[in-house]
Amino acid sequence: MASENSIADFFADRSVFITGSTGFVGKVLVEKLLRACPKIKRLYLLMRTSSSKDIATRRRELINNQVFAWLDQPRALDKIVAIAGDITLPGLGISASDMQLLVDEVSIVFNSAASVRFDHELKDALETNVKGPRQLLAICQKMKKLEAFVHVSTAFNNLDKDVVGEMIYPSHMDPIKLLNFLESIDGDFTKSITTQLLGKSNPNTYTFSKSLAEQILERERFNVPLAIVRPSIVTAAAKEPTPGWIDSLYGPTGLIAGGAKGFLRLFKCDASCVIDLIPVDYAVNLMIAVAWHQAITKPSQLTIYTSSTSYHNPITIQQLRLLSEDAVIKYPPKEIMWCPSGECTNRDWYFRINVLFTHYLPAYFLDFIGQLTGKRAKMVKLYEKVFKATSSLGFFNCHQWQFVSENSLKIRSKMSASDQHAFDFDVRQLNWRTYFEIYVQGIRQFILKDDPSTLPQARKLLVRMYLLKLFIRSLVSLCFVLSVISKTRHIFQSSISSLL
């Protein structure tokens, strides 16, 4: 075996098992391991099959994904072995032969499978976010070569605290007894007590289930070399696999995209709050470094690693808004409904009134025009869908936390200079202005599907839209002034008449 001082050398001839490999973080993790650790032996990926898609189809869909377009080692994809299964099924739904293969061959496990829906029923959230990791832990306890199990959680735990440390805070309820109780009751009763269970520290079932999973994994880990990574809001890649890579509207991506198109113009948030964002490649690089560090140091204690920016490089929502607007003006979408803009407010009445006038009334008007021309009415339904999705973010956009992230720097201090460059996760060096230009270009190319060659045309359209906006404002202002002059003249004439 090659020297294990290098992360790439450590992964040489080792096999890795990954859950959640078809998700945003999972795909970037797979690509990074294949590219940065070329001597890695195998990547076993848990994939869910269906009646219309067998395991071979799921594997083919994954390796044809654009995330691998920049991989300069085509044969590396041959190292991907798809394992049929489901994180919510007993034994993860893995066949006996595949299970034996994993037990005999796997050295490193990454669990990035999760349900990130904030509005999931508690029972459903528990299936994926608690019972799945618990079953995976049981499988890890059987693995003959296991050196590291990295569980991906979330920084948004323990939200009743302003400063969240890299630790598992003691719960006022026994986590295992609580899970057993929730499994024993029916769905209707679970719904009726969900609000009481969540309490003040959990705004939704996602944060509750992720926190519960951490507590249970800590309690039952025994001899498993477990480490937990807590990313905050995962956003577009800063550098890898290519700058700006993004394939999901999750988090601020959908809001920035909607604002860039002129589709969204008002956001429910407290602009002064710090928002915690982490580029996906920073989170993935930390996950890989944690696995390496866990294997070579063999710590006896469970360690939490927070992948976040609020502690070392904070940015407020107002800064995000201004930087993203600057970037959108520089790199506008090819087609826009109106001038890109965005206003933040945490006043509910003001938000509701302005949404009515700036979103819904124009949407009804556009649907009415569309119906007259024989087109399907879709704008109102689209706005309703968008606001339902963004309403779940309201709690996070109107509160702030500081997520301590010191343990990642401790790992970095033990990495070689070349590994610090190859597996960069030092958020202190992240330039937010540069990053948002990269982020917006990524949204333009990968979310909106705008070809870079259309940028000159898009800039001309943006100038025309601003001129139209200026004309409309000038016209409204002129009408107002003329109305005031007319009213003033009428009052003056009436006054003169009364005097005469």
Side-chain angles (χ1 to χ4, degrees):
M1 187 84 61
S3 168
E4 296 182 352
N5 291 329
S6 159
I7 292 179
D9 287 342
F10 165 75
F11 277 93
D13 299 322
R14 284 179 166 90
S15 293
V16 177
F17 180 49
I18 301 173
T19 69
S21 59
T22 57
F24 177 47
V25 173
K27 288 196 288 281
V28 176
L29 173 62
V30 171
E31 194 277 341
K32 178 69 176 188
L33 286 171
L34 291 175
R35 177 166 44 82
C37 306
K39 295 181 181 178
I40 201 167
K41 186 177 180 181
R42 290 281 186 277
L43 293 184
Y44 296 103
L45 311 182
L46 186 71
M47 294 185 180
R48 186 168 50 194
T49 60
S50 65
S51 57
S52 59
K53 294 182 180 180
D54 60 12
I55 194 64
T57 303
R58 292 302 309 277
R59 180 186 182 277
R60 184 166 59 253
E61 288 178 346
L62 176 68
I63 65 176
N64 287 335
N65 189 276
Q66 191 176 22
V67 74
F68 299 110
W70 304 279
L71 187 63
D72 56 2
Q73 309 159 41
R75 296 300 300 273
L77 295 174
D78 295 340
K79 297 179 180 180
I80 293 178
V81 178
I83 302 291
D86 188 327
I87 195 74
T88 65
L89 295 177
L92 307 188
I94 300 173
S95 69
S97 58
D98 283 342
M99 183 67 75
Q100 192 60 51
L101 181 66
L102 298 177
V103 168
D104 291 340
E105 296 294 328
V106 169
S107 299
I108 309 294
V109 173
F110 291 99
N111 177 43
S112 65
S115 167
V116 297
R117 283 182 53 185
F118 291 167
D119 59 349
H120 240 171
E121 297 289 347
L122 182 55
K123 282 273 190 183
D124 297 328
L126 293 174
E127 287 290 331
T128 303
N129 296 341
V130 181
K131 295 171 68 176
R134 192 185 192 190
Q135 292 187 92
L136 181 55
L137 179 67
I139 294 172
C140 287
Q141 289 167 347
K142 301 175 185 177
M143 290 180 173
K144 301 173 182 178
K145 299 180 180 180
L146 186 68
E147 297 175 272
F149 172 27
V150 179
H151 171 68
V152 182
S153 185
T154 177
F156 294 94
N157 279 329
N158 310 291
L159 300 184
D160 55 334
K161 299 170 177 60
D162 294 328
V163 179
V164 182
E166 293 179 293
M167 59 180 289
I168 296 178
Y169 292 90
S171 173
H172 62 281
M173 292 181 286
D174 183 290
I176 296 175
K177 288 182 179 179
L178 175 59
L179 180 62
N180 292 338
F181 167 70
L182 292 173
E183 289 178 333
S184 67
I185 60 179
D186 62 35
D188 290 337
F189 185 56
T190 304
K191 291 178 186 178
S192 68
I193 63 171
T194 294
T195 303
Q196 288 79 8
L197 286 171
L198 298 186
K200 294 182 179 180
S201 61
N202 294 288
N204 52 55
T205 57
Y206 170 71
T207 60
F208 176 80
S209 59
K210 296 294 278 187
S211 176
L212 184 60
E214 286 189 1
Q215 297 172 52
I216 291 177
L217 292 179
E218 179 190 37
R219 183 79 66 87
E220 298 184 342
R221 69 186 182 94
F222 301 120
N223 62 336
V224 171
L226 172 68
I228 295 176
V229 176
R230 291 176 176 170
S232 57
I233 302 172
V234 183
T235 51
K239 303 173 186 176
E240 302 170 306
T242 194
W245 163 250
I246 183 83
D247 73 345
S248 167
L249 287 169
Y250 170 74
T253 303
L255 301 180
I256 295 173
K261 299 280 282 186
F263 179 76
L264 296 176
R265 298 167 62 189
L266 187 68
F267 307 100
K268 181 72 180 296
C269 58
D270 184 342
S272 65
C273 284
V274 170
I275 184 170
D276 203 306
L277 312 177
I278 189 73
V280 64
D281 45 339
Y282 279 56
V284 164
N285 286 339
L286 177 60
M287 290 162 57
I288 296 172
V290 165
W292 163 78
H293 184 263
Q294 187 76 8
I296 63 171
T297 61
K298 298 177 174 59
S300 58
Q301 300 297 317
L302 169 63
T303 308
I304 309 292
Y305 300 87
T306 304
S307 181
S308 63
T309 53
S310 59
Y311 195 69
H312 289 292
N313 191 0
I315 180 174
T316 65
I317 293 177
Q318 176 70 355
Q319 289 173 311
L320 180 154
R321 185 182 72 82
L322 294 175
L323 290 176
S324 59
E325 282 186 7
D326 288 348
V328 167
I329 291 172
K330 196 171 182 179
Y331 304 100
K334 182 178 66 175
E335 297 176 350
I336 56 177
M337 292 176 55
W338 191 239
C339 299
S341 63
E343 181 184 358
C344 296
T345 181
N346 60 355
R347 293 172 294 178
D348 190 62
W349 66 268
Y350 181 84
F351 178 76
R352 290 178 181 274
I353 291 173
N354 278 272
V355 161
L356 174 63
F357 285 101
T358 63
H359 292 109
Y360 277 102
L361 289 182
Y364 278 110
F365 176 74
L366 290 173
D367 278 351
F368 175 71
I369 297 298
Q371 287 180 321
L372 290 179
T373 56
K375 296 181 181 179
R376 182 171 61 90
K378 61 179 181 179
M379 292 304 298
V380 173
K381 289 183 178 179
L382 185 58
Y383 270 119
E384 289 176 346
K385 182 178 180 181
V386 168
F387 282 113
K388 181 181 179 181
T390 57
S391 63
S392 61
L393 300 174
F395 176 85
F396 300 94
N397 291 338
C398 295
H399 296 79
Q400 68 175 24
W401 302 269
Q402 191 177 53
F403 300 115
V404 176
S405 53
E406 291 290 356
N407 287 336
S408 59
L409 298 184
K410 293 177 182 178
I411 285 186
R412 188 176 184 276
S413 67
K414 298 176 183 178
M415 294 165 57
S416 66
S418 59
D419 275 349
Q420 288 179 7
H421 176 74
F423 299 90
D424 183 23
F425 50 80
D426 187 357
V427 299
R428 297 172 300 179
Q429 308 303 318
L430 185 63
N431 182 295
W432 285 115
R433 180 171 292 278
T434 301
Y435 175 69
F436 273 98
E437 290 193 0
I438 291 170
Y439 194 175
V440 166
Q441 289 181 80
I443 290 173
R444 188 181 191 277
Q445 181 177 354
F446 302 115
I447 298 297
L448 303 180
K449 307 299 182 183
D450 289 350
D451 192 278
S453 64
T454 64
L455 190 56
Q457 171 191 347
R459 287 171 175 163
K460 290 179 181 177
L461 175 61
L462 182 61
V463 170
R464 290 197 294 270
M465 279 292 189
Y466 272 113
L467 291 175
L468 176 61
K469 179 180 180 180
L470 181 61
F471 172 76
I472 293 174
R473 283 188 171 182
S474 300
L475 185 62
V476 171
S477 299
L478 179 61
C479 291
F480 176 75
V481 170
L482 291 175
S483 175
V484 171
I485 291 174
S486 176
K487 187 68 174 177
T488 304
R489 180 182 298 170
H490 176 72
I491 294 173
F492 178 75
Q493 290 174 343
S494 298
S495 300
I496 293 297
S497 299
S498 64
L499 290 174
L500 296 177

